[in-house]
């Protein structure tokens, strides 16, 4: 019997002006506890049994069907890329998840990475693992995709797939060690599809230039020590997605307006985490005070919140064998 643990950090996407480009891995981890036992046969579907431990207190239900669960579905896709139709008999996957679902902390992306890691570990082709497992503060870009790759919306399991190769690249940026991330997590879900639907089809040249100016400045601002609060606050402004998502997140406009380094010592910058509704506040101190002020604004709209103090997860995804 083989056993190992896969740890995957959650992530905050977009980071101010970096819509669909700049992301940050954070120190809140999805764990997979995996055992693979050599048996002559298995009665389990796809030779896999899933158990789930929800530490995030999310109300959403997670499927324990290996063909439906996002983690094991991605793992099966990886296996089928190597002509393997099912897990090795007998594979048991215990998922321990503290990441709230649908709150803008990358729960789906974390599950996809976990599935890639799981498929890789049981199939043993490490050179085929995607480079989406690096952690830290990163910028990314994609090559031009083929029409069939753009059109693909689901993870195909009915065939032996030909996965797209070398479609993207990334650059890891420096991160000033003084900067921590305060994640304020409201007690409601914003489905990613809804958050996408409120965005316009086109943008003005002025708004695009506004974001490009700040996205060019942001990596240097967050990587410089000691941090410059005024520079970081200005570099985290956005006109591409946050103004349009305020209708989905009561209190967002007020929070972005009144929480500044001038009005709140210790604060550096503030933005939506991913598609929201989680707010990410970057700060050097007074973390509880900053969180309490943002939570109070949400409370004025009858929305309860939890908050977590997080740091960049520099190592990304890891595997430890028992």
């Amino acid at each position: 019997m083989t056993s190992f643990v896969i740890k995957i950090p959650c992530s905050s996407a977009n980071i101010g002006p970096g819509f669909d480009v700049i992301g940050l891995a954070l120190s809140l981890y999805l764990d997979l506890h995996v055992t693979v036992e050599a048996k002559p046969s298995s009665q389990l579907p796809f030779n896999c049994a899933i158990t789930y431990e929800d530490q995030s207190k999310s109300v959403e239900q997670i499927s324990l069907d290996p063909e439906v669960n996002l983690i094991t579905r991605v793992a099966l896709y990886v296996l089928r890329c190597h002509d393997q139709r099912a897990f090795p008999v007998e594979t048991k996957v215990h998922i321990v998840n503290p990441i709230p679902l649908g709150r803008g902390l990358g729960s789906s992306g974390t599950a996809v990475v976990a599935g890639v890691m799981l498929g890789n570990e049981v199939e043993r082709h490490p050179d085929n693992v995607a480079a989406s497992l690096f952690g830290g503060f990163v910028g990314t870009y994609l090559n031009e995709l083929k029409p069939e790759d753009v059109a693909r919306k689901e993870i195909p399991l009915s065939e032996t797939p030909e996965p797209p190769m070398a479609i993207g690249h990334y650059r890891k940026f420096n991160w000033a060690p003084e900067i921590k991330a305060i994640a304020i997590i409201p007690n409601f879900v914003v489905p990613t599809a809804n958050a996408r639907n409120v965005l316009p089809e086109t943008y003005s040249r002025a708004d695009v230039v506004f974001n490009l100016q700040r996205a060019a400045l942001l990596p240097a601002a967050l990587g410089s020590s000691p941090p410059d609060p005024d520079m970081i606050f200005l570099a985290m402004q956005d006109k591409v997605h946050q103004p349009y998502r305020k209708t989905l997140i009561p209190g967002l406009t007020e929070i972005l307006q009144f929480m500044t380094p001038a009005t709140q010592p210790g604060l550096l910058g503030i933005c939506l985490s991913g598609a929201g509704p989680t707010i990410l506040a970057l700060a050097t101190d007074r973390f509880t005070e900053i969180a309490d002020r943002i939570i109070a604004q949400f409370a004025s709209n009858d929305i309860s919140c939890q908050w977590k103090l997080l740091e960049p997860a520099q190592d990304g995804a890891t595997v430890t064998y028992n």
Side-chain angles (χ1 to χ4, degrees):
M1 185 176 70
T2 301
S3 65
F4 54 90
V5 178
I6 299 173
K7 294 179 70 70
I8 313 291
C10 76
S11 64
S12 180
N14 303 331
I15 311 295
F19 180 69
D20 279 0
V21 175
I22 298 176
L24 175 65
L26 293 168
S27 56
L28 186 65
Y29 296 88
L30 172 75
D31 288 357
L32 301 188
H33 297 260
V34 184
T35 61
V36 181
E37 187 172 358
K39 289 186 175 182
S41 63
S42 173
Q43 301 302 312
L44 299 172
F46 299 97
N47 302 332
C48 180
I50 305 171
T51 52
Y52 185 73
E53 182 179 334
D54 183 5
Q55 295 184 342
S56 69
K57 299 182 173 60
S58 298
V59 298
E60 294 75 23
Q61 296 297 311
I62 298 296
S63 174
L64 302 182
D65 180 346
E67 193 174 18
V68 176
N69 182 278
L70 183 55
I71 293 173
T72 48
R73 187 174 177 85
V74 170
L76 284 166
Y77 173 81
V78 173
L79 294 175
R80 293 189 180 194
C81 288
H82 300 289
D83 298 315
Q84 187 168 320
R85 306 297 295 177
F87 287 92
V89 291
E90 183 170 73
T91 302
K92 295 180 180 179
V93 181
H94 179 60
I95 304 168
V96 181
N97 184 26
I99 304 169
L101 306 180
R103 310 294 174 85
L105 287 171
S107 57
S108 294
T110 303
V112 169
V113 172
V116 172
M117 293 290 288
L118 175 59
N120 171 65
E121 289 306 313
V122 299
E123 213 283 331
R124 304 310 301 157
H125 277 74
D127 56 330
N128 287 298
V129 175
S132 60
L133 317 172
F134 29 72
F137 180 42
V138 296
T140 61
Y141 67 94
L142 293 176
N143 297 332
E144 290 291 331
L145 298 180
K146 298 176 183 177
E148 59 267 28
D149 292 330
V150 175
R152 181 181 293 167
K153 299 299 183 183
E154 296 185 355
I155 303 165
L157 294 183
S158 60
E159 57 193 57
T160 300
E162 288 290 334
M165 304 296 289
I167 64 172
H169 305 268
Y170 77 97
R171 175 63 185 262
K172 200 166 186 176
F173 302 132
N174 292 330
W175 184 271
E178 300 93 335
I179 303 175
K180 312 293 185 188
I182 308 164
I184 296 92
I185 308 166
N187 190 28
F188 68 96
V189 171
V190 173
T192 300
N194 294 0
R196 287 278 177 180
N197 288 339
V198 298
L199 300 181
E201 292 293 327
T202 60
Y203 294 92
S204 70
R205 179 186 298 177
D207 285 353
V208 171
V209 170
F210 180 96
N211 269 53
L212 287 173
Q213 290 172 335
R214 284 147 185 81
L217 176 63
L218 186 61
L222 291 175
S224 299
S225 181
D228 182 332
D230 293 332
M231 179 183 295
I232 291 173
F233 184 78
L234 292 174
M236 288 182 67
Q237 303 303 302
D238 164 74
K239 289 190 176 181
V240 168
H241 78 111
Q242 291 180 160
Y244 302 98
R245 288 170 169 168
K246 62 186 179 183
T247 58
L248 303 177
I249 305 170
L252 175 62
T253 300
E254 293 77 11
I255 291 167
L256 294 177
Q257 287 176 346
F258 80 76
M259 293 296 291
T260 72
T263 63
Q264 176 56 62
L267 181 69
L268 299 174
I270 190 165
C271 64
L272 268 184
S273 179
T278 293
I279 300 289
L280 195 72
L282 303 183
T284 53
D285 57 12
R286 302 198 183 190
F287 308 117
T288 300
E289 185 178 311
I290 293 168
D292 286 345
R293 289 190 65 187
I294 298 173
I295 289 172
Q297 182 62 48
F298 275 119
S300 69
N301 289 279
D302 296 322
I303 297 170
S304 61
C305 302
Q306 59 173 306
W307 71 280
K308 298 180 183 293
L309 182 61
L310 305 172
E311 298 185 19
Q314 296 291 357
D315 291 338
T318 61
V319 180
T320 304
Y321 276 79
N322 299 323

